[in-house]
Amino acid sequence: MNEKIHIEIQGHRGARGLCPENTLSGFIEAVKLGVNIIEMDVVISKDNKVIVSHEPWMNPDFCTKPNGQEIENNSNKKYNLYNMDYVEIVQYDCGKKSNLKFPSQRSIPENKPLLSEVITKIESFVKTNHIAPIKYNIEIKSEKEYDDIFNPKPDFFVDLVYSELKKQNILSKVILQSFDVRILQELKKKDQTITLSLLIENKNGLDNNLKELGFNPDIYAPEFILIDEQLIKELHYKNIKLITWTVNEIDDMQRMISMGVKSIITDYPDRLINLIKKII
């Protein structure tokens, strides 16, 4: 479908524009649509389980309490996943309540899954349906000011995620990404072979961001509004791959492709797939 222009299609949090984010149904929908890579986020529970979730708390925009009631706004600490065992986390629904930011998103009862559940489900679905192998782009959600409050310190966080990926035997199919340079530094120490991606949403410039990281990552992943032809040239010269996020509008997708971006993360993989079909 996309062989001629070789665009990697990454489903952001599964297919967030169509299904509840970071859920089993969303990931399977993205695979059905034809993405090459599933993008997701991971946090840690109180009992040290690797949970697929963008925030380390229950988001009131789309999660509800076990009794069906709304979650109060500004209650991150009250519903902090790092203070909850997984048996408690799974009692909350994060799919039935419509996310108003995504009017086309289907309402589907879903809880926050374990990373191991996601991998097992996708690998089984791919095998059963004779689909080309799927890769995984996993963001480790860590912030220095959240250490020991919403997330473990980087060394322990990395150990938990890496151990799970090794247990699932998918390290060769994984990109590990983070905004937190400490996470990537720990990963680099642990395994020189794993693919690392530096997420960027600042305007500090390539050289400053690489200097803070301390080494050249395999992938540089800025928000799409930060990309220009000069950045693409510099990354090509340094032999660093470019991935961009989160590109949802057709015009922006077209612009990224025209500039030579080869890997795009989107909430609407269906839009990107249809655009590529028209181009070729």
Side-chain angles (χ1 to χ4, degrees), residues 60-168:
D61 288 347
F62 51 85
C63 293
T64 51
K65 297 179 187 179
N67 61 8
Q69 291 181 352
E70 297 279 319
I71 289 173
E72 310 91 306
N73 289 322
N74 303 312
S75 57
N76 298 354
K77 289 188 176 180
K78 184 175 180 180
Y79 301 100
N80 177 1
L81 303 185
Y82 195 47
N83 284 338
M84 300 164 70
D85 287 335
Y86 189 60
V87 291
E88 183 180 357
I89 291 170
V90 294
Q91 296 176 43
Y92 288 73
D93 187 276
C94 293
K96 282 191 296 189
K97 181 181 176 181
S98 298
N99 188 336
L100 298 179
K101 296 174 185 175
F102 299 93
S104 300
Q105 187 185 92
R106 297 198 286 276
S107 172
I108 306 170
E110 283 279 7
N111 57 258
K112 292 183 181 292
L114 295 167
L115 176 61
S116 58
E117 285 182 281
V118 172
I119 302 303
T120 300
K121 180 82 171 179
I122 293 174
E123 292 296 300
S124 175
F125 186 86
V126 165
K127 184 177 180 180
T128 301
N129 292 277
H130 308 289
I131 297 170
I134 292 291
K135 293 183 179 179
Y136 304 90
N137 188 2
I138 301 171
E139 180 181 350
I140 297 178
K141 301 296 295 186
S142 169
E143 296 186 34
K144 189 172 184 178
E145 57 268 33
Y146 286 177
D147 282 357
D148 296 326
I149 302 170
F150 290 110
N151 55 248
K153 289 189 171 67
D155 54 350
F156 188 54
F157 204 156
V158 162
D159 281 345
L160 291 172
V161 175
Y162 185 86
S163 296
E164 190 59 58
L165 295 173
K166 191 171 183 179
K167 190 188 305 178
Q168 296 293 326

Side-chain angles (χ1 to χ4, degrees), residues 10-236:
Q10 299 202 31
H12 186 235
R13 307 186 200 176
R16 181 169 60 156
L18 309 173
C19 295
E21 67 175 67
N22 281 322
T23 60
L24 293 174
S25 57
F27 295 132
I28 294 302
E29 178 65 18
V31 174
K32 287 179 180 176
L33 286 169
V35 302
N36 309 110
I37 299 176
I38 293 289
E39 194 271 353
M40 68 184 81
D41 314 272
V42 292
V43 301
I44 304 299
S45 65
K46 182 180 179 180
D47 51 345
N48 294 329
K49 304 290 187 185
V50 183
I51 315 297
V52 178
S53 175
H54 183 261
E55 296 85 19
W57 53 76
M58 293 293 174
N59 190 325
D61 288 347
F62 51 85
C63 293
T64 51
K65 297 179 187 179
N67 61 8
Q69 291 181 352
E70 297 279 319
I71 289 173
E72 310 91 306
N73 289 322
N74 303 312
S75 57
N76 298 354
K77 289 188 176 180
K78 184 175 180 180
Y79 301 100
N80 177 1
L81 303 185
Y82 195 47
N83 284 338
M84 300 164 70
D85 287 335
Y86 189 60
V87 291
E88 183 180 357
I89 291 170
V90 294
Q91 296 176 43
Y92 288 73
D93 187 276
C94 293
K96 282 191 296 189
K97 181 181 176 181
S98 298
N99 188 336
L100 298 179
K101 296 174 185 175
F102 299 93
S104 300
Q105 187 185 92
R106 297 198 286 276
S107 172
I108 306 170
E110 283 279 7
N111 57 258
K112 292 183 181 292
L114 295 167
L115 176 61
S116 58
E117 285 182 281
V118 172
I119 302 303
T120 300
K121 180 82 171 179
I122 293 174
E123 292 296 300
S124 175
F125 186 86
V126 165
K127 184 177 180 180
T128 301
N129 292 277
H130 308 289
I131 297 170
I134 292 291
K135 293 183 179 179
Y136 304 90
N137 188 2
I138 301 171
E139 180 181 350
I140 297 178
K141 301 296 295 186
S142 169
E143 296 186 34
K144 189 172 184 178
E145 57 268 33
Y146 286 177
D147 282 357
D148 296 326
I149 302 170
F150 290 110
N151 55 248
K153 289 189 171 67
D155 54 350
F156 188 54
F157 204 156
V158 162
D159 281 345
L160 291 172
V161 175
Y162 185 86
S163 296
E164 190 59 58
L165 295 173
K166 191 171 183 179
K167 190 188 305 178
Q168 296 293 326
N169 196 30
I170 61 162
L171 281 168
S172 62
K173 297 195 291 185
V174 168
I175 298 165
L176 286 175
Q177 59 176 353
S178 189
F179 288 102
D180 189 343
V181 297
R182 303 175 306 156
I183 292 289
L184 299 182
Q185 289 161 354
E186 286 294 331
L187 284 163
K188 186 76 169 175
K189 285 191 287 185
K190 178 170 283 292
D191 187 343
Q192 295 279 328
T193 68
I194 200 160
T195 302
L196 301 180
S197 176
L198 176 61
L199 286 163
I200 293 295
E201 59 182 349
N202 64 59
K203 296 182 179 180
N204 298 341
L206 176 63
D207 288 341
N208 287 329
N209 286 323
L210 294 182
K211 184 177 180 181
E212 183 183 1
L213 179 60
F215 61 90
N216 285 4
D218 304 283
I219 299 163
Y220 192 77
E223 187 177 4
F224 78 96
I225 59 173
L226 299 173
I227 293 177
D228 57 27
E229 291 182 0
Q230 182 60 34
L231 175 62
I232 292 172
K233 281 182 185 177
E234 290 175 8
L235 289 171
H236 182 74

